[in-house]
Every structure is written in C-alpha cells, then in structure tokens.
Amino acid sequence: MHTEEELIKGCQKGDRKLQKELYERFSERMFVLCMRYAKSTQEAEDVLQESFIKIFDKIKDFKGDSTIGYWIKRIVINTALNSQRGKLYLFPMVDVNDTDLREQEMNLSSIHLQDLLDLIQSLPAGCQAVFNLYAIEGYKHHEIAAMLEISEGTSKSQYARAKQLLRGMLEKIESVKHEKFS
Amino acid sequence: MKNSLENNEFEEQWKKAFDSKELAPSDRVWSGIDAHLANQEAGGYKRTAVFYRWVAAASIVLLLGWTGYYLTNRYEDSALTDQHSAITQQEINSEIIDNSEIELANKAVAENNGEDDLGNERFNQNEEILLAEQGKTSGTTQSEEINAFTNTNDAQVASIESEEPSSFSKPLENKENTTDARLASIVENKSENQGTTVDGESLIASAGVSSIGDTDHGEALAKTDPNGFDLKLSEQPGLEPEAIPVWDFEIIDKKKNDPESLFAGLNFSPGMFDPNFSNSTAAANNLSALSFDGAVSNSVAESDVNQGFSYGFGVNGGIPVGEKWVLQGGLEYSVGRSETSTSLIVESASGDRSALTFTNSVEAEAMDNSVRISSPTDVTSSYQFISVPIKAGYSILNKKKFGLMVSGGVSSDFFLSNTISSSQQGIASYRQSSGSESPFKSVYFSGLSSLTLTYKVTSNYMILLEPSVKAALNDFSKSSELFNSRPNSFGLGVGIRYRFK
C-alpha cells in the first residue's frame, strides 16, 4: 500500500503496478460519479476508461496544487460532460416554477444506491447534468452556465425541472412503499 | 426562507446519499486502460528503436564514408609515392646521362688536345669547390653548393666543342663515386652544423623521399642517386633539404571523380521489417467481440506486433544523367516478417486449424469457421512483395577503386501474399493472397533512401554495400479495415554491378 505521493511519482514515471494501484484506489468512487452522468452502465464504464487514460496521460503535469482525488474527480466530470455534450438539449424551462413546489420530507438513505442512480439516469440529459453539478458537486449556477455554455437562467430552470421530476419519482416510490406496508 | 432551507436540505440529502459511495466497474475498464498503456509503452520503445536505428544507420554511413575516404587517400598516397619514385628515377637517369656526357667530353677534349692535366684540373675543380663549401656554416645553403657545381659543369660543357662520346661506362662510375662522397659529406656537414646526429636516412626521409625511408645510411645514399637528389634541390633554390615540406612533392594533381556510367547489377538485402500497425487494439478487441460475442476478455487477441527479419533480392540498373547523377531502377522480390501471439485458433469444417489474428479475422469469418481458444502461441506473418524502386543517386565519391553514392526515391510495392504460421504443432499455415478479400491493398508506395559504397574489382565489375531505409507513403491496409498499416524497413544490402564502359 503506497502513499498518494508515491503513487503519483510512480505513475509519473509510468510504473504499471502503481498505475493499477491508483486505478484501484479511485475507480470505484469515480464509477459512481460516471454512473450519475451516464445513461447506462456501459456508457459509464466507457467514460471511466477514457477518464483514466487521460489521467495517466496528464499525470506528469500534476503539480500538487490540489489533492489527487480532487484532480481526478475534475477530469472524470469533464470527461463525463464531454461525452454527454452532444446529447444535451439545454434550453430554458418556462413552465417550471420552483417556488410552487410542495416540500415534503424525504429520506434518501432508505433508498438503495442503484435505485438512486436509476432515478438520476432517468432524467433528461440536460437536467441530469445540471442536477449533478448543482445538487451533488456543489457548483453555483453561474459556474454551471460557464461550464455548459448556457445562460444562468437556463441552468436554474433545468435544475428546477430536475428537482420536480425527482420529487415526483420519489413520491411514487414512497407511495409504493406505503402501500406495501399498509 | 423556509423554502430555501428546504431546498438546501434537498441538495444535502442527495449529496449525503452519494457521499463516499463506491461501485465496482467491470474488468473490461482496466483491460482497456491497460491495453492503451501497453500500446503507449510499445510506442515509446518503437520511437526509441527508430531513434537508435537512425543512429545506427548514421554510424554506418559515417564509418563507410570514413573508410572510403581513408582507403582512397591511402591509395592516392601510394600512387603518389610510386609516381614520385618514377619521376625521381627518370630525373636521376637523365642527370647521369648529362653528367656522363660532360665527363666524356672532358676526356675527349683532354685526349684530343693532349692536355690531360687541363682535363684533370677541370674535373678536380668541382671537387675543390665542394670541399671548400663543406667547411661553410649553416649560412651557406646547399643549393648554392649545387648551383656552383652545376654552373661549373655548364661552363665545362660550354667550353667543349661538339664531339660525340664513344663510351659511357668509365666516366659514369667515376662521377657517381665522386658525387656519392660529396653528398655524404654534405649530409654529415649539415648534421654537424645543426648540432644533431641526424643521419642520411632521417634527413632524406624528412625531405619526403619515402621510398628510401626504410634503408640504412649507406643504402639510402647508394639507392638515391646524388645526381638525382642534387637536381631536385637545384630546382628549389634557397631551400635546404630538411626544410622542404612533404607537400612540395605533391606534384600529382588530385584525380577528379570518374564520371558515372551505365550499369546493371544483382543485389541481396537482409534487414528488418515492421508492418507498423496502428489502431490494432481496436481491431483485436473487435476480433474478440466478434468471435465470442463480447463474452471473453480481449486479451485473447493480441494487438502488439513486433518487427521481424526480412530479406530481398533482385536486379537493378542505372543510367547516368550527368557527371554525378544516376537514375536507378530495378525489380525486387522481398519477404518481410512480423511476430505476434494469439490464443485464437480457427478450425475449418475439414478440421484444418490455423492461427487467428486481427489481420485475417474477416476472411476467417467469411469462411464460417469455428473459433477456439488455445494456449497463447507465437505467430509469424510473412509478407511477400514485388517492388519496383526508382531512385536518383548523387555520387559523392567515385575514385579509381571506391565510390560512394547517396540515393533517394520511391518504390511501388506490389503485395503478393501473407502467410500466417504458428510454432504450435497441429496448426497449419494460413495464406492470405492479394485481392478483394485481403485486408491489404494490392499495391502501396514507399519512400526510400540508401547509401551505396562500391569497390571496383575490375574496370567493369564492382561489389557494393548498401544500407537503406524504406517507409510507406500511404496505407498498406485497406481503408475498410479497423487497423492501419504503414510498413517500414531497414536493410543492409550487398550486390554486384557490371559497368558498361
């Protein structure tokens, strides 16, 4: 078990064993990330593969300005967004009003990871990307707008739409559960 | 406010739901990454190999160039020495005859006029001058001594009426002996003046007379006729023997290059061949997927192909298009090999088994053969071509014996077949012929360059050594294939040429 510093130096020298160790250390976490942005497992694996190829190509340029985990995550997100770029139909959602949505108690911890991923993957591509970036990655709308080359308003409305859809789906899950227990 | 808080709770819940969550991807992901890294590593080695190959080629060129230059110069030096010796001997003979004539004339005058004493006086006069000059210091030049001697002889000749000599033998001996003694004394005197013990050998050798450099003092003086030596010195007024540089004797003009001539020849060229595949990983992956519906790891079909041994032989000819330029053409049959490995064995309906690689997958599929997995086995592909090279050559050197020419051109390479064979027992060779089903084009074009070192065995025949490199200018693989191939090769050819003169 090598330290992160040893792993980085080894990968920079092209050490195949340490490259595999780096992959094994980060691939499972990054695969969840890929699954959130992709539409299928196959697609997520392709994104993950492409991301790690980029990581090993570019690791020579890694200066240590941030943690290796954060650097890898940025590459994976960018690769995932690039893979989706052609499929993103991003336009303002004029019929969505976030303030009208009724908030209700949610307990996501009771839902299996794969089910949550299925929920996110079922979102329209544009909504899915904005939702991931805003709700989970924590980017601001103006940052998302810059990343996806859209307006801030579009980012907000896409997010509101994603939220609306997810709530609807969660309500259904809750009602199914409720019916089962009752 | 409540809404905003609730919204934040919504995001927090999602964030928390995915926090530190892990999911294992399939092995396929790492296989792909690993294959890419392996290819990159192989590419790195390939680049290094190409670099070292060029270094090796450059070293050969330099070595051959230096050897050619050295041998040519050595030949010229030898020719120079021979010619100089011949010229010196000619001068010696001429001077001997001249001096003999003088002596005979002296003798004749003395006999005819009954003035023997006068004749002896005249003869002794030369010796007196020389003996007097022996005592001179280094301020007196040897050429002055010699000029005095020559002038005296001239005066004698002038005083003699035209009378034919009857015999050369006796006066010639006398004169030679006298002059030998004189030269010996000059040499000794000169050595003493310099305060060194330079003997005749080194003194003469320093004057560049290499033909007597390996003889002792007496032999040197005996072999080098002093008259000849005197004559040379008299032609260099004001120069002392040891001050005459070697290049003063380079009286032979450097030979100009011989003009190129029409030739025909045979050549044999062993070397290395690299089919230089790219995108072979995709082709190998595709092969695995096609063969096993994607259910088996792609590691069964190797994408790495290593370069292998090659050889070629053929006929060639050249026609001069200027003093130094030659247009060359030829016809060559060549075989280039490459090595890879596979775990896929294709079995036909008749039970014949052959190795399956990404280069013969389409044909194997078309034949509806069944594919089996075996233990990994080494596979050799032998590509056979007929090539028609056309080159323009520039003659850097074309001396009497050696020639050096640099050439560049293009070659049309006609693909004949590829034989895929395996070292494993029970696996037959698989032959891919040129044609519509072949993954390779029937013809592709290559750029080629070579350096030719020739040695003329006779005036018409020459042998040659020819390092050459060849690289494809366009794809050898068809555009419909997933992989690309742009072969390159390196060869060290030998051959024989007949020059039409």
Side-chain angles (χ1 to χ4, degrees):
Chain A
M1 191 72 173
H2 295 86
T3 63
E4 278 190 1
E5 200 175 331
E6 286 170 337
L7 279 180
I8 294 162
K9 282 184 179 173
C11 291
Q12 284 173 338
K13 287 176 186 171
D15 187 320
R16 297 286 291 280
K17 282 184 183 171
L18 294 184
Q19 283 172 335
K20 187 166 189 189
E21 194 174 325
L22 184 83
Y23 171 80
E24 284 168 349
R25 192 171 294 186
F26 289 98
S27 63
E28 294 187 355
R29 255 183 287 166
M30 293 305 118
F31 186 53
V32 174
L33 191 153
C34 293
M35 288 287 279
R36 285 197 280 113
Y37 284 86
K39 290 289 177 194
S40 67
T41 305
Q42 176 79 23
E43 202 179 303
E45 285 182 344
D46 289 345
V47 170
L48 186 67
Q49 184 172 309
E50 196 183 334
S51 301
F52 269 92
I53 287 170
K54 279 185 191 171
I55 287 162
F56 292 129
D57 281 346
K58 292 176 186 288
I59 200 162
K60 284 174 188 164
D61 303 326
F62 178 70
K63 306 288 182 201
D65 298 335
S66 61
T67 64
I68 186 73
Y70 180 73
W71 183 75
I72 288 173
K73 189 177 173 182
R74 286 291 302 271
I75 290 178
V76 176
I77 290 171
N78 284 336
T79 310
L81 288 174
N82 281 337
S83 74
Q84 295 293 324
R85 205 170 285 278
K87 303 167 197 168
L88 295 178
Y89 299 104
L90 290 158
F91 47 87
M93 302 274 188
V94 289
D95 57 336
V96 179
N97 187 353
D98 191 27
T99 53
D100 291 342
L101 292 172
R102 184 177 60 85
E103 299 301 332
Q104 64 176 46
E105 282 188 16
M106 286 193 311
N107 188 8
L108 296 180
S109 59
S110 63
I111 303 173
H112 193 267
L113 176 64
Q114 189 57 54
D115 293 333
L116 287 176
L117 289 170
D118 288 343
L119 288 178
I120 294 173
Q121 285 179 354
S122 67
L123 291 171
C127 294
Q128 183 184 3
V130 174
F131 173 78
N132 275 314
L133 291 168
Y134 185 83
I136 304 174
E137 260 69 68
Y139 287 101
K140 306 291 180 202
H141 280 300
H142 69 268
E143 291 172 324
I144 296 166
M147 284 166 82
L148 299 178
E149 296 172 349
I150 54 172
S151 69
E152 201 174 328
T154 303
S155 176
K156 282 178 182 173
S157 63
Q158 289 280 349
Y159 178 66
R161 175 72 175 148
K163 210 169 166 180
Q164 189 183 47
L165 290 168
L166 285 169
R167 276 183 173 145
M169 287 185 276
L170 284 167
E171 277 174 12
K172 277 184 186 173
I173 291 170
E174 285 297 321
S175 62
V176 169
K177 273 186 184 176
H178 191 259
E179 280 173 16
K180 274 186 180 176
F181 285 111
S182 61
Chain B
M1 187 68 186
K2 186 179 179 242
N3 217 352
S4 171
L5 189 66
E6 282 171 347
N7 281 348
N8 284 341
E9 277 175 12
F10 176 84
E11 281 107 36
E12 284 302 318
Q13 284 212 39
W14 279 101
K15 211 175 267 185
K16 201 176 168 185
F18 286 104
D19 188 35
S20 303
K21 289 287 186 296
E22 294 184 344
L23 207 60
S26 74
D27 291 342
R28 184 187 78 90
V29 179
W30 175 249
S31 295
I33 297 166
D34 196 37
H36 176 83
L37 293 172
N39 265 9
Q40 255 187 344
E41 204 171 31
Y45 287 137
K46 198 181 277 183
R47 278 192 295 275
T48 310
V50 167
F51 171 75
Y52 281 112
R53 198 161 62 181
W54 278 107
V55 168
S59 304
I60 290 169
V61 168
L62 285 175
L63 186 67
L64 291 174
W66 181 83
T67 307
Y69 178 78
Y70 173 77
L71 291 173
T72 309
N73 272 12
R74 194 175 159 192
Y75 166 75
E76 281 185 350
D77 286 347
S78 171
L80 181 69
T81 307
D82 292 346
Q83 194 161 345
H84 175 254
S85 300
I87 288 167
T88 307
Q89 192 58 46
Q90 199 177 355
E91 288 168 347
I92 288 166
N93 294 338
S94 167
E95 187 64 12
I96 287 170
I97 292 165
D98 290 347
N99 287 325
S100 301
E101 285 172 354
I102 292 164
E103 291 307 313
L104 286 169
N106 284 338
K107 190 86 177 172
V109 168
E111 284 174 359
N112 290 343
N113 296 337
E115 295 174 358
D116 288 345
D117 293 340
L118 178 62
N120 289 334
E121 262 183 47
R122 281 181 178 174
F123 187 73
N124 291 334
Q125 193 181 354
N126 292 335
E127 290 187 25
E128 282 171 14
I129 291 164
L130 286 165
L131 287 169
E133 283 172 350
Q134 277 178 18
K136 286 184 184 176
T137 59
S138 58
T140 308
T141 65
Q142 200 170 3
S143 60
E144 283 172 349
E145 301 167 10
I146 294 153
N147 287 337
F149 174 70
T150 312
N151 291 338
T152 310
N153 280 344
D154 288 346
Q156 287 172 345
V157 172
S159 66
I160 295 165
E161 296 295 325
S162 57
E163 288 168 326
E164 292 296 322
S166 57
S167 170
F168 292 101
S169 58
K170 194 176 175 183
L172 182 63
E173 282 172 12
N174 286 341
K175 183 62 189 172
E176 279 175 354
N177 292 337
T178 310
T179 319
D180 276 352
R182 191 179 74 248
L183 182 65
S185 65
I186 291 168
V187 168
E188 282 166 9
N189 185 35
K190 193 68 203 169
S191 302
E192 283 164 15
N193 287 340
Q194 287 181 334
T196 59
T197 54
V198 178
D199 60 14
E201 182 183 348
S202 59
L203 181 65
I204 293 164
S206 72
V209 188
S210 58
S211 60
I212 58 166
D214 56 354
T215 59
D216 63 26
H217 182 94
E219 285 173 348
L221 290 173
K223 283 183 178 176
T224 309
D225 192 286
N227 292 323
F229 188 58
D230 287 349
L231 181 67
K232 287 300 286 180
L233 293 174
S234 68
E235 288 171 355
Q236 305 282 340
L239 282 178
E240 297 178 13
E242 67 272 36
I244 299 171
V246 172
W247 54 83
D248 268 29
F249 289 94
E250 290 192 5
I251 53 176
I252 305 165
D253 287 338
K254 280 202 168 181
K255 283 191 172 182
K256 287 183 179 175
N257 279 355
D258 288 346
E260 292 297 332
S261 51
L262 187 71
F263 70 82
L266 301 169
N267 66 294
F268 173 72
S269 179
M272 298 298 286
F273 173 81
D274 184 357
N276 198 18
F277 287 112
S278 55
N279 300 324
S280 55
T281 308
N285 288 348
N286 187 56
L287 171 60
S288 298
L290 286 170
S291 305
F292 302 102
D293 298 326
V296 178
S297 164
N298 58 13
S299 61
V300 291
E302 285 293 330
S303 57
D304 290 342
V305 178
N306 300 318
Q307 59 181 1
F309 176 74
S310 70
Y311 65 90
F313 54 84
V315 293
N316 56 63
I319 183 166
V321 287
E323 194 177 334
K324 292 196 167 193
W325 288 94
V326 176
L327 188 64
Q328 302 167 73
L331 189 68
E332 187 176 89
Y333 169 79
S334 63
V335 177
R337 288 182 181 153
S338 66
E339 314 283 341
T340 186
S341 67
T342 185
S343 303
L344 300 179
I345 304 298
V346 62
E347 190 169 319
S348 69
S350 58
D352 292 335
R353 302 171 78 217
S354 53
L356 183 63
T357 69
F358 63 86
T359 59
N360 64 339
S361 60
V362 176
E363 291 148 298
E365 269 190 281
M367 290 159 68
D368 199 24
N369 293 330
S370 60
V371 176
R372 298 175 191 280
I373 300 178
S374 77
S375 55
T377 179
D378 290 335
V379 176
T380 303
S381 296
S382 298
Y383 302 88
Q384 296 168 66
F385 302 97
I386 289 284
S387 302
V388 183
I390 297 174
K391 294 190 288 185
Y394 178 78
S395 174
I396 298 169
L397 190 75
N398 190 12
K399 297 292 182 184
K400 192 171 181 182
K401 283 286 181 190
F402 290 96
L404 191 64
M405 179 176 283
V406 62
S407 308
V410 291
S411 170
S412 306
D413 299 305
F414 297 90
F415 174 59
L416 298 178
S417 67
N418 175 25
T419 307
I420 299 168
S421 54
S422 168
S423 55
Q424 196 173 312
Q425 279 192 339
I427 298 179
S429 294
Y430 184 91
R431 191 167 184 273
Q432 290 179 296
S433 296
S434 172
S436 58
E437 287 183 1
S438 167
F440 302 109
K441 290 176 183 169
S442 298
V443 62
Y444 74 100
F445 301 96
S446 302
L448 55 92
S449 65
S450 62
L451 187 84
T452 313
L453 178 68
T454 54
Y455 177 79
K456 296 178 186 78
V457 183
T458 67
S459 60
N460 289 109
Y461 284 98
M462 62 172 76
I463 54 172
L464 61 91
L465 186 67
E466 189 173 54
S468 63
V469 289
K470 187 171 166 181
L473 297 173
N474 64 332
D475 277 352
F476 169 43
S477 54
K478 286 179 180 170
S479 56
S480 56
E481 294 301 317
L482 283 172
F483 64 88
N484 300 91
S485 170
R486 285 200 172 195
N488 57 56
S489 60
F490 170 78
L492 188 62
V494 290
I496 185 166
R497 275 182 191 172
Y498 179 82
R499 294 206 306 167
F500 299 94
K501 292 183 80 176

